Amino acid sequence: MKDIRPTSGKVLAALFSILGGKIEGAKFLDLFAGTGHVGFEALKRGAGLCVFVESVRSRAESIKRLAGDNTVLGLEARRAVSWLVKRGMKFDVIFADPPYSSGWCDVLPELKGLAELFADDGIMIIEHSIREPLKLKDNTNNLEIISQREYGETCLTFLQRMT
């Protein structure tokens, strides 16, 4: 089982400060949810709903116990994206915190179906190590990096769909 590396308080505070009023009533997707801390914070700050995705069964079950009416998917990210697309789900905020040094920074922005999950004016934030710069390669999902913020060893990269 992979170790959990929770989003630090400093990064969490910065994330929600940047998102500001975008959280109120938002549909929030927490990919690689771990403990669910980020998704639960979004709900606490007024998100209308949160879908948690965590592939480690024991962690997904722990989130489920606290998630109320919110959906918890115990699936790997690729399968979860496919599941959500098939159900026509759209999200105002997509947050992903994949395990560092796992190669997900290269794969995630190109994930099949990812762009279909963006609501109009939707935004995606990927938390990653500053040692793993996020770059868009093939850009099959028509995404653009709109901002990157560094907090010690952590970087938050903000993406949106190009119009």
Side-chain angles (χ1 to χ4, degrees):
M1 186 184 316
K2 295 178 211 122
D3 290 335
I4 296 177
R5 179 200 31 78
T7 299
S8 75
K10 175 181 166 183
V11 173
L12 192 67
L15 170 67
F16 285 102
S17 175
I18 292 164
L19 291 174
K22 190 163 185 67
I23 291 297
E24 188 65 36
K27 292 179 181 169
F28 193 96
L29 175 60
D30 188 356
L31 283 172
F32 305 93
T35 62
H37 184 62
V38 175
F40 287 126
E41 186 67 23
L43 290 167
K44 181 176 145 191
R45 292 177 182 247
L49 72 85
C50 182
V51 173
F52 298 87
V53 175
E54 175 52 53
S55 64
V56 176
R57 179 175 290 175
S58 61
R59 292 182 198 151
E61 289 171 1
S62 293
I63 295 168
K64 236 178 237 185
R65 286 192 285 277
L66 302 171
D69 293 335
N70 296 282
T71 301
V72 180
L73 300 177
L75 300 171
E76 187 267 342
R78 287 176 191 87
R79 291 184 58 217
V81 167
S82 176
W83 189 94
L84 294 164
V85 166
K86 285 178 185 170
R87 283 150 184 83
M89 300 285 294
K90 302 275 186 196
F91 297 93
D92 302 297
V93 180
I94 300 169
F95 178 79
D97 183 9
Y100 286 9
S101 303
S102 65
W104 273 105
C105 277
D106 293 331
V107 175
L108 195 54
E110 308 300 326
L111 212 56
K112 182 180 179 189
L114 180 68
E116 295 175 56
L117 296 179
F118 280 72
D120 294 340
D121 297 323
I123 189 168
M124 179 174 197
I125 305 98
I126 301 175
E127 179 178 334
H128 57 97
S129 168
I130 60 171
R131 293 185 178 94
E132 287 182 275
L134 193 143
K135 296 178 183 126
L136 301 176
K137 292 179 279 198
D138 298 336
N139 208 3
T140 55
N141 283 317
N142 207 27
L143 300 175
E144 64 181 339
I145 295 173
I146 56 171
S147 178
Q148 289 187 308
R149 312 275 177 96
E150 292 183 6
Y151 305 92
E153 295 293 310
T154 299
C155 184
L156 294 177
T157 297
F158 294 77
L159 303 107
Q160 67 184 18
R161 282 187 315 180
M162 291 186 272
T163 53

